[in-house]
Amino acid sequence: MNQQTTSHLWLLWAALICLYTGAVAQPPRGPLVVSPQVNADKSVTFRYLSPIAKEVKLSGQFLKAPVEMSKDAQGIWSVTTEPIKPDIYPYSFQVDGVTVMDPANVAFFPNERFKASLVDIPGETPLVHALKDVPHGSINYEYYPSLEGTTGSLVVYTPPGYDQSPSKKYPVFYLISGTTDTEETFFKVGKTNLILDNLIAEGKAKPMIIVMPYGNIAARVAEQKGGGKPADPTVRDGADAVKRANDFATDLVSRVIPYVEKNYRTVANRENRAIGGFSRGGGQTLRTAFSNLDKFAWVCSYSSYLSPAEMDQNFPQIGGNSANTNKQLKLFWVSVGSDDFLYKGTVEFMDYLKAKNVAFKSLITDGGHTWMNVKKYVAETTPLLFQ
């Protein structure tokens, strides 16, 4: 066998090996599944491929209860909803009783526990979180030295023009997600970066840096030190919940803020620092702010509250010297949905503030404890910050 023939055989063998390896590495493709499909009338068709499943249902925050899906000859389950009010909604499939994400959809809800996909139903007029043809800011992922020798994580939004104006400094809004959410949730579900891009472009909000930290310090410490994730506190103002909130406050004030002010161009004073949060993040906001009014002049509580008992015990100065509180806080915001499971406690908190003559702005919307409402609150409050 001559050298040329041998060379050709080796090339053929190598090509066959590559083809075989590629075939082994690639999963069977099956039929193409398009899901979700937003239709012209704002109805949505959802599809899920599973020839062997016996039952598939669709769950979503646009539904009152899960709805059954039907299977075609290819094993694709599908259902088309009624027209849905434009917004971004989480949804999932229940496959033979097991909740799964939509494998045909790349948009997902970052969360420690549940796993959901996201469907974005656009409005006829672009909504405040829509991707528009305006100047856009940047999203950066950051790691910083945190408590107990761990490494913390942040998502940081810088406004349009930040990189092009190296001498300009900006105010900072520290924005904290809810229970079981991650540092990505305000970005990927709340679309905070797009909301700010649009408001800044319209001249409604001042350019600002937004820092989105991870709120579950205890879980991060356990994970990085080889332990199991601790259960969430069962009582919102119990000793464990308060301790965890205090740990978060310590981390934010002593680690996160110094890191941000070292690595970003900030205006480093209380008049140019705001803090806000949703659900557990709102409770962390209130506890952190009330303990550090020398650090924050703008406070936004979304779907959260502190009980009158905790206020009197841990923060008596807020209501006890309301004149000083009102002088220190340039904005104190409280908002909640009328169907929110925290509505009653939040209204009680607002009644407490009124009785103590603590000035605040409030907004009660319809809807429940959802990120649809959170986007409204962010869009309402950010134009008020740093003005």
Side-chain angles (χ1 to χ4, degrees):
M1 186 179 295
N2 60 41
Q3 184 175 359
Q4 185 176 9
T5 301
T6 302
S7 176
H8 286 164
L9 287 173
W10 273 105
L11 289 172
L12 177 62
W13 177 82
L16 289 172
I17 289 295
C18 289
L19 288 172
Y20 172 76
T21 303
V24 171
Q26 295 293 325
R29 292 184 179 273
L32 175 66
V33 176
V34 177
S35 180
Q37 175 186 312
V38 180
N39 304 311
D41 65 349
K42 307 304 179 185
S43 67
V44 183
T45 301
F46 295 90
R47 298 182 178 92
Y48 182 80
L49 174 62
S50 181
I52 64 173
K54 297 179 180 179
E55 181 185 61
V56 180
K57 294 182 179 181
L58 169 70
S59 294
Q61 286 192 343
F62 44 84
L63 297 170
K64 293 182 179 179
V67 297
E68 293 187 359
M69 303 172 69
S70 58
K71 183 171 69 170
D72 66 12
Q74 292 182 300
I76 298 176
W77 298 76
S78 66
V79 67
T80 298
T81 69
E82 296 293 325
I84 301 172
K85 180 181 178 181
D87 211 321
I88 299 174
Y89 300 89
Y91 72 94
S92 58
F93 299 124
Q94 296 177 9
V95 183
D96 293 336
V98 179
T99 300
V100 300
M101 296 167 61
D102 186 345
N105 186 358
V106 299
F108 69 96
F109 193 123
N111 191 275
E112 294 173 345
R113 291 185 180 174
F114 67 83
K115 295 294 178 281
S117 298
L118 297 170
V119 57
D120 188 349
I121 303 167
E124 297 300 333
T125 299
L127 302 180
V128 70
H129 61 261
L131 178 63
K132 300 179 184 179
D133 184 17
V134 299
H136 293 289
S138 298
I139 288 289
N140 305 309
Y141 285 76
E142 297 281 358
Y143 299 94
Y144 67 95
S146 185
L147 302 181
E148 299 189 33
T150 62
T151 299
S153 50
L154 306 167
V155 174
V156 181
Y157 165 83
T158 54
Y162 179 88
D163 294 328
Q164 291 73 39
S165 304
S167 62
K168 186 174 180 178
K169 296 184 177 182
Y170 296 84
V172 184
F173 185 19
Y174 293 88
L175 193 54
I176 312 152
S177 290
T179 304
T180 75
D181 291 329
T182 75
E183 67 275 20
E184 291 187 301
T185 312
F186 260 109
F187 162 42
K188 291 189 173 180
V189 185
K191 302 296 182 182
T192 299
N193 58 315
L194 298 182
I195 292 174
L196 263 295
D197 289 343
N198 295 334
L199 292 175
I200 292 170
E202 295 171 12
K204 294 180 179 179
K206 189 171 182 178
M208 66 186 76
I209 296 169
I210 300 182
V211 177
M212 295 161 269
Y214 177 52
N216 197 343
I217 303 295
R220 187 181 68 222
V221 170
E223 177 187 13
Q224 295 187 14
K225 291 185 176 293
K229 179 180 180 294
D232 297 315
T234 56
V235 181
R236 297 185 66 83
D237 55 358
D240 187 27
V242 172
K243 179 186 181 303
R244 294 194 197 191
N246 290 339
D247 288 343
F248 175 84
T250 299
D251 185 61
L252 184 71
V253 171
S254 68
R255 304 300 180 88
V256 175
I257 291 177
Y259 178 87
V260 169
E261 293 182 352
K262 178 181 178 181
N263 291 279
Y264 289 84
R265 300 193 309 276
T266 70
V267 184
N269 58 45
R270 67 179 302 275
E271 289 75 17
N272 286 279
R273 284 193 210 101
I275 184 170
F278 168 54
S279 192
R280 179 188 65 189
Q284 291 170 323
T285 289
L286 294 170
R287 290 169 174 134
T288 302
F290 292 163
S291 299
N292 297 275
L293 286 181
D294 61 322
K295 301 290 193 300
F296 305 99
W298 315 79
V299 178
C300 300
S301 174
Y302 309 144
S303 301
S304 58
Y305 65 90
L306 297 184
S307 69
E310 183 178 352
M311 289 294 296
D312 287 337
Q313 178 177 342
N314 297 336
F315 308 108
Q317 76 282 6
I318 299 300
N321 190 350
S322 58
N324 186 57
T325 300
N326 296 338
K327 181 180 178 181
Q328 290 183 295
L329 292 180
K330 294 182 176 295
L331 174 67
F332 184 11
W333 173 281
V334 183
S335 52
V336 70
S338 58
D339 296 324
D340 196 314
F341 73 96
L342 298 181
Y343 173 80
K344 181 179 178 181
T346 303
V347 171
E348 184 180 46
F349 177 53
M350 289 191 283
D351 288 341
Y352 173 89
L353 297 174
K354 292 175 185 175
K356 298 291 186 178
N357 296 314
V358 177
F360 66 97
K361 292 182 180 294
S362 64
L363 175 64
I364 296 179
T365 61
D366 57 7
H369 202 73
T370 68
W371 278 87
M372 289 83 81
N373 265 342
V374 175
K375 293 196 298 294
K376 294 178 185 177
Y377 305 152
V378 171
E380 291 288 335
T381 53
T382 47
L384 304 177
L385 299 179
F386 313 120
Q387 299 297 339

mmCIF file of all heavy atoms in Angstrom, residues 282-303:
data_model
loop_
_atom_site.group_PDB
_atom_site.id
_atom_site.type_symbol
_atom_site.label_atom_id
_atom_site.label_comp_id
_atom_site.label_asym_id
_atom_site.label_seq_id
_atom_site.Cartn_x
_atom_site.Cartn_y
_atom_site.Cartn_z
ATOM 1 N N GLY A 282 -37.551 43.851 50.696
ATOM 2 C CA GLY A 282 -38.129 45.068 51.264
ATOM 3 C C GLY A 282 -37.942 45.134 52.756
ATOM 4 O O GLY A 282 -37.657 46.199 53.321
ATOM 5 N N GLY A 283 -38.104 43.988 53.434
ATOM 6 C CA GLY A 283 -37.831 43.938 54.864
ATOM 7 C C GLY A 283 -36.367 44.227 55.163
ATOM 8 O O GLY A 283 -36.039 44.958 56.115
ATOM 9 N N GLN A 284 -35.463 43.674 54.343
ATOM 10 C CA GLN A 284 -34.035 43.968 54.504
ATOM 11 C C GLN A 284 -33.767 45.452 54.250
ATOM 12 O O GLN A 284 -32.937 46.066 54.928
ATOM 13 C CB GLN A 284 -33.231 43.100 53.537
ATOM 14 C CG GLN A 284 -33.239 41.615 53.904
ATOM 15 C CD GLN A 284 -32.640 40.747 52.814
ATOM 16 O OE1 GLN A 284 -32.820 41.003 51.621
ATOM 17 N NE2 GLN A 284 -31.945 39.698 53.210
ATOM 18 N N THR A 285 -34.478 46.021 53.283
ATOM 19 C CA THR A 285 -34.340 47.448 53.005
ATOM 20 C C THR A 285 -34.693 48.280 54.224
ATOM 21 O O THR A 285 -33.938 49.179 54.633
ATOM 22 C CB THR A 285 -35.249 47.836 51.822
ATOM 23 O OG1 THR A 285 -34.715 47.291 50.622
ATOM 24 C CG2 THR A 285 -35.371 49.347 51.692
ATOM 25 N N LEU A 286 -35.853 48.011 54.811
ATOM 26 C CA LEU A 286 -36.312 48.809 55.947
ATOM 27 C C LEU A 286 -35.369 48.658 57.135
ATOM 28 O O LEU A 286 -35.004 49.658 57.784
ATOM 29 C CB LEU A 286 -37.728 48.389 56.330
ATOM 30 C CG LEU A 286 -38.809 48.691 55.278
ATOM 31 C CD1 LEU A 286 -40.119 48.019 55.651
ATOM 32 C CD2 LEU A 286 -39.005 50.194 55.115
ATOM 33 N N ARG A 287 -34.972 47.449 57.440
ATOM 34 C CA ARG A 287 -34.091 47.234 58.598
ATOM 35 C C ARG A 287 -32.718 47.846 58.364
ATOM 36 O O ARG A 287 -32.122 48.435 59.281
ATOM 37 C CB ARG A 287 -33.986 45.741 58.891
ATOM 38 C CG ARG A 287 -35.278 45.142 59.451
ATOM 39 C CD ARG A 287 -35.230 43.631 59.487
ATOM 40 N NE ARG A 287 -36.416 43.083 60.144
ATOM 41 C CZ ARG A 287 -37.137 42.064 59.657
ATOM 42 N NH1 ARG A 287 -36.785 41.507 58.501
ATOM 43 N NH2 ARG A 287 -38.176 41.610 60.311
ATOM 44 N N THR A 288 -32.201 47.712 57.151
ATOM 45 C CA THR A 288 -30.887 48.290 56.852
ATOM 46 C C THR A 288 -30.947 49.814 56.892
ATOM 47 O O THR A 288 -30.079 50.471 57.483
ATOM 48 C CB THR A 288 -30.402 47.825 55.471
ATOM 49 O OG1 THR A 288 -30.338 46.400 55.433
ATOM 50 C CG2 THR A 288 -29.020 48.393 55.166
ATOM 51 N N ALA A 289 -31.970 50.381 56.274
ATOM 52 C CA ALA A 289 -32.074 51.839 56.218
ATOM 53 C C ALA A 289 -32.291 52.446 57.595
ATOM 54 O O ALA A 289 -31.626 53.437 57.964
ATOM 55 C CB ALA A 289 -33.218 52.236 55.282
ATOM 56 N N PHE A 290 -33.209 51.875 58.384
ATOM 57 C CA PHE A 290 -33.514 52.441 59.695
ATOM 58 C C PHE A 290 -32.326 52.343 60.644
ATOM 59 O O PHE A 290 -32.209 53.141 61.581
ATOM 60 C CB PHE A 290 -34.727 51.745 60.304
ATOM 61 C CG PHE A 290 -36.028 52.024 59.584
ATOM 62 C CD1 PHE A 290 -37.131 51.214 59.794
ATOM 63 C CD2 PHE A 290 -36.146 53.095 58.714
ATOM 64 C CE1 PHE A 290 -38.338 51.467 59.144
ATOM 65 C CE2 PHE A 290 -37.339 53.351 58.053
ATOM 66 C CZ PHE A 290 -38.437 52.539 58.269
ATOM 67 N N SER A 291 -31.441 51.379 60.403
ATOM 68 C CA SER A 291 -30.233 51.249 61.229
ATOM 69 C C SER A 291 -29.078 52.100 60.706
ATOM 70 O O SER A 291 -28.055 52.234 61.392
ATOM 71 C CB SER A 291 -29.778 49.782 61.266
ATOM 72 O OG SER A 291 -30.765 48.959 61.835
ATOM 73 N N ASN A 292 -29.249 52.644 59.488
ATOM 74 C CA ASN A 292 -28.133 53.360 58.858
ATOM 75 C C ASN A 292 -28.627 54.599 58.102
ATOM 76 O O ASN A 292 -28.328 54.788 56.924
ATOM 77 C CB ASN A 292 -27.404 52.434 57.874
ATOM 78 C CG ASN A 292 -26.779 51.233 58.547
ATOM 79 O OD1 ASN A 292 -25.657 51.294 59.060
ATOM 80 N ND2 ASN A 292 -27.502 50.120 58.535
ATOM 81 N N LEU A 293 -29.372 55.447 58.795
ATOM 82 C CA LEU A 293 -29.859 56.648 58.130
ATOM 83 C C LEU A 293 -28.731 57.620 57.792
ATOM 84 O O LEU A 293 -28.942 58.571 57.037
ATOM 85 C CB LEU A 293 -30.913 57.342 58.996
ATOM 86 C CG LEU A 293 -32.279 56.647 59.034
ATOM 87 C CD1 LEU A 293 -33.255 57.423 59.894
ATOM 88 C CD2 LEU A 293 -32.850 56.458 57.627
ATOM 89 N N ASP A 294 -27.556 57.375 58.324
ATOM 90 C CA ASP A 294 -26.401 58.171 57.913
ATOM 91 C C ASP A 294 -25.866 57.729 56.557
ATOM 92 O O ASP A 294 -25.020 58.405 55.966
ATOM 93 C CB ASP A 294 -25.286 58.059 58.956
ATOM 94 C CG ASP A 294 -24.783 56.637 59.134
ATOM 95 O OD1 ASP A 294 -25.608 55.696 59.088
ATOM 96 O OD2 ASP A 294 -23.571 56.443 59.326
ATOM 97 N N LYS A 295 -26.387 56.591 56.039
ATOM 98 C CA LYS A 295 -25.919 56.061 54.754
ATOM 99 C C LYS A 295 -26.928 56.253 53.621
ATOM 100 O O LYS A 295 -26.537 56.293 52.448
ATOM 101 C CB LYS A 295 -25.624 54.553 54.883
ATOM 102 C CG LYS A 295 -24.580 54.172 55.918
ATOM 103 C CD LYS A 295 -23.196 54.608 55.490
ATOM 104 C CE LYS A 295 -22.111 53.960 56.348
ATOM 105 N NZ LYS A 295 -22.233 54.285 57.788
ATOM 106 N N PHE A 296 -28.226 56.324 53.933
ATOM 107 C CA PHE A 296 -29.262 56.349 52.900
ATOM 108 C C PHE A 296 -30.261 57.485 53.143
ATOM 109 O O PHE A 296 -30.732 57.663 54.256
ATOM 110 C CB PHE A 296 -30.035 55.029 52.871
ATOM 111 C CG PHE A 296 -29.165 53.812 52.702
ATOM 112 C CD1 PHE A 296 -28.809 53.053 53.801
ATOM 113 C CD2 PHE A 296 -28.713 53.437 51.445
ATOM 114 C CE1 PHE A 296 -28.011 51.930 53.656
ATOM 115 C CE2 PHE A 296 -27.912 52.313 51.296
ATOM 116 C CZ PHE A 296 -27.557 51.565 52.403
ATOM 117 N N ALA A 297 -30.597 58.187 52.068
ATOM 118 C CA ALA A 297 -31.601 59.247 52.166
ATOM 119 C C ALA A 297 -32.869 58.910 51.383
ATOM 120 O O ALA A 297 -33.837 59.669 51.426
ATOM 121 C CB ALA A 297 -31.027 60.568 51.664
ATOM 122 N N TRP A 298 -32.872 57.790 50.669
ATOM 123 C CA TRP A 298 -33.997 57.395 49.822
ATOM 124 C C TRP A 298 -34.301 55.932 50.116
ATOM 125 O O TRP A 298 -33.428 55.069 49.986
ATOM 126 C CB TRP A 298 -33.652 57.576 48.342
ATOM 127 C CG TRP A 298 -32.977 58.880 48.023
ATOM 128 C CD1 TRP A 298 -31.653 59.201 48.224
ATOM 129 C CD2 TRP A 298 -33.583 60.047 47.465
ATOM 130 N NE1 TRP A 298 -31.401 60.481 47.818
ATOM 131 C CE2 TRP A 298 -32.579 61.033 47.341
ATOM 132 C CE3 TRP A 298 -34.872 60.350 47.042
ATOM 133 C CZ2 TRP A 298 -32.810 62.292 46.829
ATOM 134 C CZ3 TRP A 298 -35.119 61.610 46.521
ATOM 135 C CH2 TRP A 298 -34.092 62.563 46.411
ATOM 136 N N VAL A 299 -35.554 55.615 50.475
ATOM 137 C CA VAL A 299 -35.923 54.268 50.906
ATOM 138 C C VAL A 299 -37.212 53.849 50.197
ATOM 139 O O VAL A 299 -38.226 54.554 50.274
ATOM 140 C CB VAL A 299 -36.127 54.208 52.437
ATOM 141 C CG1 VAL A 299 -36.555 52.808 52.869
ATOM 142 C CG2 VAL A 299 -34.852 54.629 53.156
ATOM 143 N N CYS A 300 -37.168 52.692 49.529
ATOM 144 C CA CYS A 300 -38.329 52.195 48.774
ATOM 145 C C CYS A 300 -38.660 50.769 49.205
ATOM 146 O O CYS A 300 -37.847 49.855 49.022
ATOM 147 C CB CYS A 300 -38.044 52.222 47.278
ATOM 148 S SG CYS A 300 -37.664 53.852 46.612
ATOM 149 N N SER A 301 -39.846 50.592 49.760
ATOM 150 C CA SER A 301 -40.306 49.285 50.218
ATOM 151 C C SER A 301 -41.403 48.783 49.292
ATOM 152 O O SER A 301 -42.469 49.388 49.195
ATOM 153 C CB SER A 301 -40.832 49.397 51.658
ATOM 154 O OG SER A 301 -41.411 48.181 52.071
ATOM 155 N N TYR A 302 -41.137 47.671 48.604
ATOM 156 C CA TYR A 302 -42.091 47.091 47.666
ATOM 157 C C TYR A 302 -42.676 45.808 48.262
ATOM 158 O O TYR A 302 -41.953 44.836 48.494
ATOM 159 C CB TYR A 302 -41.423 46.754 46.335
ATOM 160 C CG TYR A 302 -40.624 47.862 45.694
ATOM 161 C CD1 TYR A 302 -39.450 47.579 44.997
ATOM 162 C CD2 TYR A 302 -41.033 49.196 45.748
ATOM 163 C CE1 TYR A 302 -38.712 48.577 44.378
ATOM 164 C CE2 TYR A 302 -40.305 50.201 45.141
ATOM 165 C CZ TYR A 302 -39.136 49.883 44.455
ATOM 166 O OH TYR A 302 -38.393 50.888 43.849
ATOM 167 N N SER A 303 -43.976 45.799 48.521
ATOM 168 C CA SER A 303 -44.664 44.603 49.032
ATOM 169 C C SER A 303 -43.976 44.052 50.278
ATOM 170 O O SER A 303 -43.619 42.872 50.352
ATOM 171 C CB SER A 303 -44.731 43.513 47.952
ATOM 172 O OG SER A 303 -45.399 43.968 46.811
#
